[in-house]
Amino acid sequence: MKKFEGVSDEELALAYVKGNNRAFDELLSRTQTKLFTYIMFVVRDHDIADDIFQETFVKAIVKLQQGQYTNSGKFQFWLTRIAHNCIMDWYRLQQSHHIVEPNAENDLQNIKGGAPLDICREMELINEQVLVDVKKLMEALPATQREVVYMRYYQDLSFKEIAEMTGVSINTSLGRMRYALINMRRIAKDNHIELALVG
């Protein structure tokens, strides 16, 4: 919407609080893809991700209307933190830690990673396979480890930002990343997967 060109997410949120529903529509339009991708990456099930996405926005609306948002310049972080809490609530409701099988809709291979090195086709194929293997290894990680890897490498967030969004200390975020990398290396070694890019 050209009407909101140059208006920050924070300003849109505050405009919605003052009664401008179109400001919220614009805010939803700007944030929905990134937020849904994050939720989907963590829960790996389209229907569950859809439910959590809707719950996140319902909670965001309630919090906005209750004046629980102040312009801190970090609306996206605030929204992601709500989504994170909704995801954790969903996991707590599960009686057992069940495994969701990947399908065409939630396959991590659909996430766009960095382009392989443009040297020659053979090297490109090797590098593409390495990236596919890394994403498969990430699928085997526990949700908290998968989440921190996604935020760090796919959303390019600092560990301080990750800690803020997930409500844990920086040391906990770093610890989760450390264990994620250890687990990925162990799984790769057990399955004789070579993760080195060629160039």
Side-chain angles (χ1 to χ4, degrees):
M1 291 181 184
K2 289 192 174 179
K3 179 181 178 184
F4 295 113
E5 202 171 309
V7 178
S8 71
D9 292 349
E10 291 72 27
E11 290 168 329
L12 287 170
L14 296 175
Y16 169 69
V17 170
K18 292 175 184 173
N20 187 338
N21 288 330
R22 290 190 179 202
F24 186 80
D25 293 343
E26 173 68 11
L27 204 50
L28 176 62
S29 163
R30 287 184 187 182
T31 57
Q32 63 185 358
T33 302
K34 189 173 183 180
L35 185 68
F36 186 81
T37 301
Y38 160 68
I39 295 168
M40 184 68 187
F41 187 88
V42 179
V43 301
R44 298 183 294 177
D45 180 283
H46 194 279
D47 292 335
I48 294 166
D50 205 31
D51 289 345
I52 291 172
F53 175 81
Q54 290 176 38
E55 184 184 347
T56 298
F57 268 96
V58 167
K59 287 190 175 181
I61 289 168
V62 170
K63 287 177 183 290
L64 285 167
Q65 290 174 343
Q66 291 176 344
Q68 294 180 23
Y69 176 77
T70 54
N71 187 352
S72 61
K74 296 182 178 181
F75 180 80
Q76 187 71 46
F77 288 167
W78 181 77
L79 194 58
T80 304
R81 176 74 187 270
I82 294 172
H84 166 78
N85 290 339
C86 290
I87 291 167
M88 292 304 112
D89 289 345
W90 178 80
Y91 273 114
R92 284 186 202 106
L93 288 173
Q94 304 310 301
Q95 294 298 328
S96 62
H97 186 77
H98 68 283
I99 297 170
V100 177
E101 291 297 325
N103 59 41
E105 290 182 33
N106 69 14
D107 190 346
L108 293 180
Q109 294 178 42
N110 294 331
I111 295 175
K112 301 282 187 261
L117 302 172
D118 189 16
I119 299 165
C120 70
R121 187 63 191 142
E122 183 179 350
M123 288 182 179
E124 283 180 8
L125 289 171
I126 292 169
N127 289 332
E128 284 172 2
Q129 186 58 50
V130 168
L131 294 174
V132 166
D133 290 341
V134 166
K135 288 171 186 169
K136 284 182 180 174
L137 292 175
M138 288 170 66
E139 287 182 345
L141 295 174
T144 54
Q145 292 175 23
R146 193 167 59 247
E147 179 181 44
V148 76
V149 170
Y150 179 79
M151 288 179 159
R152 183 73 186 102
Y153 292 108
Y154 289 90
Q155 293 186 319
D156 201 28
L157 299 176
S158 69
F159 284 105
K160 181 180 178 188
E161 292 168 331
I162 292 168
E164 277 180 37
M165 292 166 89
T166 57
V168 298
S169 69
I170 292 176
N171 285 343
T172 299
S173 293
L174 289 166
R176 287 176 179 174
M177 177 62 80
R178 178 174 169 264
Y179 285 114
L181 295 175
I182 288 170
N183 285 333
M184 288 172 71
R185 285 191 195 108
R186 178 184 51 77
I187 296 166
K189 185 178 178 184
D190 291 349
N191 292 284
H192 309 289
I193 298 171
E194 180 60 55
L195 295 178
L197 293 172
V198 295

